[in-house]
Amino acid sequence: MRRKKIDVIPAESGQKALKLLQESAFDMVITDMRMPGITGMDVLAKAKEINSNIIVVIITAFGSIENTVEAMRAGAFNYLLKPFSADAIEAVIEKAREHISLVEENNYLRHQVSTGGSRTARKVIAESPQMKQILAEATQVAKSNASIFITGESGTGKEVIARTIHYNSLRANRPFIK
Ligand SMILES: Nc1ncnc2c1ncn2[C@@H]1O[C@H](COP(=O)(O)OP(=O)(O)OP(=O)(O)O)[C@@H](O)[C@H]1O
Ligand SMILES: [Mg+2]
């Protein structure tokens, strides 16, 4: 999954998966249904408890349709029927990615609507030559993909500069996460 820029962490049991879920943030869980110890249904329920937005895909064997239906009702995003190909798993991940970006975009737009949009509301005021220089640089670097380190005392406008960069960047229509 390297070439798709997906970090995959395997877990040898449901318990191990839940431990990982508690320790760090994941976008997606792909779990078998019948496993020694806790089942895929348990993993699904606990994963959703930890993060209600998490995407859970259930791996199911032919003849376990009832379990699959139950899992979908319990909030599973999709299922993979055994045996499945690498293409099938990639297709499910792709669907999940689309879903995640739609949810993000929706949250972003909802926020924009509720705040009346912040593009104009947060206009930077600059009188000093130093601040004008910073603004010019911000607008210039915004067009690049470089990482930008903004430093300064509290209240000096780091966030307004970050926003300025974002709104002048090629990612302006994607969410700005302060
Ligand atoms: N040059 C500026 N023009 C307009 N508003 C500004 C400017 N600088 C700061 N502000 C306003 O001052 C307040 C603090 O700015 P901001 O949140 O960007 O500071 P900060 O550097 O991120 O602070 P902190 O380190 O506390 O997070 C905000 O309400 C911001 O809109
Ligand atoms: Mg700040």
Side-chain angles (χ1 to χ4, degrees):
M1 288 289 151
R2 274 278 149 233
R3 71 198 161 89
K4 298 263 170 190
K5 290 194 181 164
I6 296 169
D7 289 325
V8 183
I9 301 185
E12 61 273 13
S13 69
Q15 281 94 335
K16 183 73 203 296
L18 292 181
K19 193 163 172 286
L20 287 167
L21 285 166
Q22 263 147 3
E23 286 164 359
S24 30
F26 289 86
D27 295 314
M28 185 172 185
V29 178
I30 302 176
T31 177
D32 207 345
M33 196 56 135
R34 227 178 290 173
M35 301 181 282
I38 68 171
T39 67
M41 280 305 285
D42 297 328
V43 172
L44 167 65
K46 292 266 164 56
K48 287 273 167 191
E49 236 172 68
I50 296 166
N51 168 10
S52 60
N53 289 324
I54 202 156
I55 289 189
V56 180
V57 172
I58 297 281
I59 298 170
T60 178
F62 182 75
S64 316
I65 275 303
E66 279 161 40
N67 290 339
T68 312
V69 172
E70 198 193 336
M72 295 299 286
R73 281 210 188 105
F77 176 74
N78 213 330
Y79 62 90
L80 283 163
L81 196 61
K82 270 195 250 188
F84 51 84
S85 61
D87 282 349
I89 206 163
E90 278 189 7
V92 154
I93 291 169
E94 205 40 54
K95 260 192 211 168
R97 279 189 150 174
E98 279 168 22
H99 177 82
I100 291 168
S101 58
L102 281 176
V103 168
E104 276 175 1
E105 193 179 333
N106 190 268
N107 286 342
Y108 169 68
L109 291 173
R110 200 175 297 177
H111 177 79
Q112 286 291 93
V113 169
S114 70
T115 58
S118 44
R119 192 187 290 256
T120 49
R122 304 255 182 158
K123 194 162 167 33
V124 188
I125 299 157
E127 292 290 341
S128 70
Q130 289 92 334
M131 197 64 188
K132 282 183 175 159
Q133 176 64 29
I134 289 171
L135 264 184
E137 280 172 10
T139 323
Q140 198 188 347
V141 294
K143 301 295 175 208
S144 82
N145 277 325
S147 300
I148 299 156
F149 180 60
I150 304 168
T151 175
E153 278 172 42
S154 183
T156 50
K158 295 185 293 295
E159 195 184 320
V160 285
I161 292 299
R163 253 174 222 284
T164 305
I165 293 169
H166 178 76
Y167 285 126
N168 284 291
S169 78
L170 297 171
R171 298 166 296 276
N173 58 351
R174 307 288 322 272
F176 170 77
I177 294 149
K178 70 172 182 183

